[in-house]
Amino acid sequence: MSKQVCGSILVTLSLLALGSSATAQPAPAGNKPDVTLGSTPDTVVWGYISARVPPVLRIKSGTTVRIDTMSHQGLVTRDDPVTFFGRAGIKPEEVLQDAKDIYAKVPRGKGLGVHVLTGPIYVEGTVPGDALEVRVLDLEFRVPYGVNNTGPGSGVLPDLVATPTPRIIKSDLQRKIAFLPGGIELPLSPFLGIMAVAPPPDLIIVSSGPPGKWAGNLDLKTLTVGSTLYIPVFNDGALFYTGDPHGVQGDGEVDGGALEQSLTATLQFILHKGAGKSMRGPRAEDASNYYALGLDVDLNMAMKIAVRETVELLQEKAGLTAAEAYSVASLGVDFRVAEAVDSVQIIYGTIPKKFFKQNPTYWSNR
């Protein structure tokens, strides 16, 4: 992946147009899905994203889909998932059948990523140059446990841990907490590490590891319930994939992983005709903030991109000069490291919507 591709990310001057058209499509009452998609050997791929995989589901714009996602942890070790999780006292019947079936039947892309992805989903009427809006309506835990895995070569301190250390972490889904080492109780905050469309067709297959202008492995913890991700489209049907479910993660994801924990997501898909032509990559928002993303193999360059995109957004929405927007970004916008552990790393700026006198009504506030 070239540095030019990695660096050409994010918030675009089509923000107002996308925001305005989003208000025309309400979220379904009670987040009721129109269709359900499981994570089975017939509906997942392992380790890659490609435009050449046949769709497992076809939908129309506005459709709400309840999608099972499967964590790769417990599937990428020498042992089968029943044996792996059994060491932590998890009974065979408490291991998802999907995990057993995927481990036994789905080939993993050699030399590619580790993630199990559900999809692709074909959105009818979508063509290159459009944009796909993905609303996160709900996230449900499938199991009361997850894994944080680190070891040699992992994370921002690759020499810190001398041996592979997969740690099975249990959670209380009623209290919505995870039980960490040292008696620490951490509130759960689930999100999907990967939401993506298929990459441009000249990229026949890409690893699920590094993100790109097609989104992918953003590991952006703000993409929880009530958030929206916008992705430019490069192929007919968009061909949407999702996976890498997380129970909780800190900004930075510094040891190389989150609490990798299988989720069921309820997502709504909305097509925006022609809106992807001016987009340089994915962008995000929720009821309170816009998020300006900078992606690059160099974290310093990712910071520069995120700041530049923030300045452009402030100029567009508040009518500021470049100097004024730069000042506002310095005084009122927080820039954080979403993740610093993949070959493409991410900085995001949090731009409060309260800065602007007028904002389109956001779907989660209806």
Side-chain angles (χ1 to χ4, degrees), residues 45-65:
V45 297
W46 197 341
Y48 63 92
I49 303 170
S50 174
R52 300 196 177 189
V53 178
V56 297
L57 178 67
R58 288 177 175 262
I59 63 172
K60 295 181 179 179
S61 177
T63 299
T64 298
V65 187

Side-chain angles (χ1 to χ4, degrees), residues 5-15 18 212-215 218 220 228-232 275-276 278-285 290-295 302 305-310 312-313 346-349 351:
V5 171
C6 298
S8 60
I9 302 296
L10 202 287
V11 177
T12 73
L13 299 183
S14 63
L15 182 66
L18 272 170
K213 57 187 177 181
W214 51 87
L218 297 175
L220 182 61
T228 303
L229 181 67
Y230 301 92
I231 317 172
S278 60
M279 295 179 69
R280 290 171 290 194
R283 59 177 181 77
E285 68 172 309
Y290 296 109
Y291 299 102
L293 309 186
L295 280 67
I305 295 166
V307 173
R308 185 171 297 278
E309 299 297 344
T310 297
E312 289 187 6
L313 185 148
I346 303 174
I347 298 282
Y348 71 100
I351 306 160

Side-chain angles (χ1 to χ4, degrees), residues 294-360:
L295 280 67
D296 200 86
V297 294
D298 183 327
L299 201 58
N300 290 321
M301 184 57 67
M303 180 68 176
K304 291 177 183 293
I305 295 166
V307 173
R308 185 171 297 278
E309 299 297 344
T310 297
V311 167
E312 289 187 6
L313 185 148
L314 289 167
Q315 287 182 272
E316 176 69 15
K317 292 190 66 63
L320 304 179
T321 66
E324 290 169 337
Y326 201 16
S327 177
V328 172
S330 187
L331 298 176
V333 177
D334 290 322
F335 292 89
R336 299 183 174 95
V337 180
E339 59 92 351
V341 294
D342 291 321
S343 58
V344 176
Q345 301 171 9
I346 303 174
I347 298 282
Y348 71 100
T350 301
I351 306 160
K353 290 184 175 180
K354 65 183 180 181
F355 281 0
F356 311 111
K357 293 180 180 179
Q358 292 184 336
N359 286 295

Side-chain angles (χ1 to χ4, degrees), residues 60-141:
K60 295 181 179 179
S61 177
T63 299
T64 298
V65 187
R66 190 171 186 266
I67 306 171
D68 286 339
T69 65
M70 173 60 56
S71 173
H72 59 280
Q73 290 294 347
L75 308 181
V76 292
T77 61
R78 289 179 299 174
D79 298 317
D80 64 88
V82 170
T83 302
F84 176 81
F85 287 114
R87 294 196 187 97
I90 296 169
K91 299 176 182 178
E93 60 270 23
E94 295 173 326
V95 178
L96 291 169
Q97 186 62 44
D98 296 4
K100 303 172 190 177
D101 293 342
I102 290 168
Y103 179 85
K105 300 177 182 179
V106 178
R108 178 179 169 188
K110 187 176 181 181
L112 296 172
V114 296
H115 310 98
V116 175
L117 303 179
T118 307
I121 297 173
Y122 188 103
V123 183
E124 294 179 2
T126 307
V127 298
D130 293 341
L132 184 65
E133 174 184 351
V134 185
R135 297 177 176 181
V136 183
L137 304 184
D138 195 21
L139 294 166
E140 306 165 64
F141 289 95

Side-chain angles (χ1 to χ4, degrees), residues 150-155 157-165:
T150 191
S154 183
L157 300 175
D159 300 322
L160 180 67
V161 180
T163 58
T165 310

Side-chain angles (χ1 to χ4, degrees), residues 152-219:
S154 183
V156 300
L157 300 175
D159 300 322
L160 180 67
V161 180
T163 58
T165 310
R167 189 180 307 279
I168 298 172
I169 295 173
K170 296 182 180 180
S171 53
D172 184 331
L173 300 186
Q174 294 296 318
R175 295 175 60 202
K176 292 183 171 55
I177 58 169
F179 299 105
L180 304 191
I184 296 170
E185 294 187 353
L186 181 66
L188 294 166
S189 183
F191 70 99
L192 296 167
I194 294 179
M195 292 187 280
V197 299
D202 58 311
L203 299 175
I204 296 173
I205 187 171
V206 298
S207 169
S208 64
K213 57 187 177 181
W214 51 87
N217 191 24
L218 297 175
D219 288 330

